[in-house]
Amino acid sequence: MLKYIGRRLLYMLLSLFLIITATFFLMRAAPGGPFSGEKQLPPEIEKNLNEFYGLDRPWYEQYFDYLISIAQWDFGPSFKYKGQTVNDLINNGFPVSFFLGMEALFIAVGLGILLGIIAALNHNKWQDYGAMVFAVMGISVPSFIMASFLQYVLAIKLGLFPVARWESFMHSVLPALALATTPMAFIARLTRSSMLEVLSNDYIRTAKAKGLSKFQITVRHTIRNALLPVVSYLGPLSAQILTGSFVIEKIFGIPGLGSHFVLSISNRDYTTIMGVTVFYGIILLSAMLLVDIAYGLIDPRIKLAGGKKGE
Amino acid sequence: MQQIPKEMFQPASVDLSEAEKISKPSLSFWKDVSIRFRKNKLAMFGLVLLIILIFMAIFGPMMTPYDYRTNDLMNTNQPPSAEHWFGTDELGRDIFARTWYGARISLFIGVAAALIDLFIGVLWGGFAGFRGGRTDEVMMRIADILWAIPYLLLVILLMVVLEQGLGTMILAMTITGWINMARIVRGQVLQLKNQEYVLAAQTLGASTARIMFKHLIPNTMGPILVTMTLTVPSAIFTEAFLSYLGLGVPQPLASWGTMASDGVQALQYYPWRLFFPATMICLTIFAFNVVGDGLRDALDPRLRK
């Protein structure tokens, strides 16, 4: 197990290194220097700025400096907002995004599993068809379209929820629902098919033969095993919710890291784009690693890659 | 017990030639798949929807006298009417014409991304799987490491740096998009390459390339087709997503994504400007998903639940 974690950690670091390197060089290749704006700066000031940010030094020194500062959890300055660092943006914005993401995650996982279980237990009945049609529709509607739809119908037309901004729990309901729709539909389908697979196993027949109640069979024998694929889906799910939040936060005017990121894209604020991308990369890769380790711990049947075959 | 008279018994004559007779016409694999696919009502509905969408993408712009880029500042933000079937946008451009013109761009992006993924994925996965051993190990490790890079982040990054346009967008989508296809092809090839017919072909002196393209790839067509069908909607989704971030195709080109993201700004007063492109995005993703699922079930009925 330890060997497995070590191996995974190594690959994660490699991927991360690739992300940082790619981001660094892509941003250097980006058209326009960091200070090119509408107003032409006097050459002395530009020279001073370049010196201050170390931009006059050769690229490899800048690159290694960047690697070192990332390792020290320093994502650098923002070139468009004087006096603000990317760390400030992350500290201000990420808690908001995290709260929103967690709410969406709970909705997606909770409702998705519930729907999947209801569908599987009523296999080929109307509940099953209803749930699956609902799931296909959920997968077909992108989160940003769902967001506009919810905003228009529930907030603007019916006035049940606030239209935008981030002030109370009520403000978070619509964005979280919009973020959760597609993953929820995915989880519902995943849970249903894995429930059906588990239900066809011999040990379920044994449990029935022992005379256990339907409730006990479902809760103690089926769901526990059927949820394994859902656990492995949590990694991609967190990526989906995180990237989904870019647009959702913009639509609902939420001051999270996602909307900072979108703003820095439209301002072409390259250092912020770079810093936030690397930060997201770290968050997502760690989430994937955690999910993989958790999966290995939960399911004793799979021998983790890294152990010998046939053990 | 009742006595049964012997006369009631009759010898059952077995005509041995009858047993060998084939009573049903033999079906090729693809005929079988098509029969199963046609029984799936939802998938057939998706297919019909898809045909209608493609038909409208080709002929839609010809059905109206307006084109997608002509401004008409006297008639901005008109609601749908007999004159402008889907209304007009903030520059007075006809949304009906723009929607179907945008359909061409969105569908083109989706199909182009799927085809490039197919090309790279089949070569990479096929080669890794067929060679096996160290080659396979190294090639798949590279794929794993690339795979771990969050897809949308990479796409956004490339779109920020490179010049905006259709080609850039397709490039950004396919740069790690092929990995999924490569994995699926590799898995299939690993399974198939130990079959007797491959050994037979090798014994007959067939070259590696011939075995790959004549024997192995045709037999993995099923999963490849399903993966391609499911790549298209995800590319259309990505295109719309990028447009929302302001990284879509440049004006005055229309794609569903740019139209929808423009429409969002005016949602409160002119909802039809979002409604039409958004509905088309959803319908297209729905149709491709349903057809893909239907194909998967039809190709491998064991998986069907």
Side-chain angles (χ1 to χ4, degrees), chain B residues 103-147:
Chain B
R104 292 180 181 179
I105 293 194
S106 291
L107 288 173
F108 173 75
I109 292 175
V111 173
L115 284 179
I116 296 175
D117 283 358
L118 169 81
F119 184 71
I120 308 176
V122 166
L123 283 186
W124 190 280
F127 190 73
F130 192 69
R131 272 300 175 87
R134 275 225 97 75
T135 322
D136 178 38
E137 177 88 358
V138 171
M139 284 175 88
M140 289 332 275
R141 280 289 161 268
I142 295 172
D144 280 351
I145 290 167
L146 284 175
W147 184 248

Side-chain angles (χ1 to χ4, degrees), chain A residues 22 31 39 44 55 82 87 104 110 117 123 139 143 152 163 198 201 213 227 243 301:
Chain A
K39 264 194 298 180
E44 307 86 58
L55 294 173
K82 306 282 174 281
N87 283 55
I117 291 174
H123 188 35
I139 289 172
S143 58
Y152 186 70
V163 176
V198 172
N201 270 329
S213 71
L227 288 190
T243 44
R301 280 174 308 183

Side-chain angles (χ1 to χ4, degrees), chain B residues 11 20 42 61 63 81 91 101 114 147 161 170 177 187-188 194 198 206 222-223 274 283 290:
Chain B
E20 294 295 318
L42 198 59
M63 291 177 184
S81 63
L91 295 172
Y101 186 80
W147 184 248
V161 178
I170 294 168
Q188 290 284 319
N194 293 325
V198 177
L274 174 64
L283 283 180
V290 172

